[in-house]
Amino acid sequence: MIHNEVLDCIRTRRSTRNFQEQQIKEEELKALLEAAIWAPSGSNSQSWLFTAVQNKEALLKINELLKKGFQHWIPDDDYPGKLGVKAMAQREDCHFFYHAPTLIIASNRPNYENAMADCSLALENIFLAAHSLGLGSCYINQLHWLRNDRELREYLFELGIPKEHTICSSAAIGYIDKESSASPRKDGTIHIIK
Ligand SMILES: Cc1cc2nc3c(=O)[nH]c(=O)nc-3n(C[C@H](O)[C@H](O)[C@H](O)COP(=O)(O)O)c2cc1C
């Protein structure tokens, strides 16, 4: 197995679901956002927007709007996470981004075929950069599922996310309170033809 800083960072990054309350440093946030915008994008579009939310009230409000939105949301497929989300949203202690002090929301222009691909590549840059700095991170999907929820979108608009943008994904970021164990990787997912 080849070892170098990048490969080891890729191998040892884990999704964090237990964060400390303490906010990350300004220079750490800037490094993550810079890592995001160095990701590749289709035709070099760079049409994404990364909105970092660090305001406690705003984070609380986003979680409350997610909880509310899922009450009347109808899953559009049988993806396991979607099936359980309504019950989860009803729990008093439900926090979709695990009380992380920073949430980075990746949005992109509408009707752009590579919107998700571009934002996902940027998010992985954020995750790896976070790991390289000793920070925890986790992909948070719920804002994408509720991207058309009127109340949530009105609030995200107040935060500066254009109404017409599609919400692709988001990243919870913070100092790690409890390390996650590695989920084993499945066999048979690599195929080499020579
Ligand atoms: C598209 C996508 C959506 C995800 N959504 C969530 C989510 O909403 N909440 C969450 O806790 N983890 C989410 N994850 C994280 C996965 O559960 C995690 O990557 C997987 O279990 C493997 O663990 P690892 O990241 O520690 O290697 C998501 C990951 C991806 C790629």
Side-chain angles (χ1 to χ4, degrees):
M1 190 188 283
I2 300 177
H3 287 277
N4 65 31
E5 271 187 77
V6 174
L7 291 172
D8 290 342
C9 183
I10 290 171
R11 286 187 195 110
T12 57
R13 176 213 56 81
R14 295 280 68 84
S15 296
T16 297
R17 297 190 179 87
N18 289 281
F19 293 95
Q20 294 176 27
E21 208 185 321
Q22 192 192 343
Q23 188 54 273
I24 64 169
K25 296 188 188 86
E26 195 65 24
E27 58 180 5
E28 291 171 332
L29 177 66
K30 283 192 182 142
L32 301 187
L33 295 170
E34 208 212 354
I37 64 169
W38 278 105
S41 59
S43 304
N44 195 24
S45 301
Q46 298 183 46
S47 50
W48 46 38
L49 176 69
F50 302 100
T51 304
V53 185
Q54 295 194 309
N55 179 286
K56 277 187 184 175
E57 276 172 33
L59 290 168
L60 211 65
K61 175 96 179 165
I62 291 171
N63 192 55
E64 285 308 309
L65 288 172
L66 288 173
K67 285 169 76 172
K68 192 173 173 196
F70 280 121
Q71 307 300 324
H72 51 81
W73 180 70
I74 298 164
D76 46 9
D77 58 43
D78 59 359
Y79 178 68
K82 287 185 180 176
L83 297 180
V85 80
K86 283 172 92 76
M88 193 176 157
Q90 274 163 9
R91 290 205 331 245
E92 191 63 36
D93 62 348
C94 164
H95 202 287
F96 286 109
F97 34 100
Y98 313 106
H99 303 279
T102 295
L103 184 73
I104 301 176
I105 303 171
S107 63
N108 212 329
R109 69 177 161 83
N111 307 318
Y112 165 48
E113 185 176 280
N114 296 319
M116 270 304 262
D118 292 0
C119 282
S120 300
L121 289 168
L123 233 66
E124 177 68 348
N125 272 11
I126 291 177
F127 297 150
L128 293 175
H131 184 46
S132 77
L133 296 172
L135 300 169
S137 66
C138 191
Y139 193 119
I140 304 298
N141 223 352
Q142 285 76 29
L143 279 98
H144 173 65
W145 296 344
L146 287 191
R147 63 193 175 281
N148 297 322
D149 182 272
R150 192 184 48 80
E151 249 188 288
L152 178 68
R153 291 311 304 257
E154 272 172 17
Y155 187 61
L156 295 181
F157 180 63
E158 274 178 43
L159 297 181
I161 299 179
K163 271 201 176 131
E164 70 278 9
H165 264 205
T166 182
I167 308 296
C168 294
S169 44
S170 67
I173 306 286
Y175 296 118
I176 300 171
D177 194 35
K178 196 171 139 230
E179 300 275 353
S180 309
S181 51
S183 338
R185 266 37 190 174
K186 293 181 182 169
D187 290 330
T189 60
I190 295 175
H191 186 39
I192 301 172
I193 298 161
K194 289 203 175 178

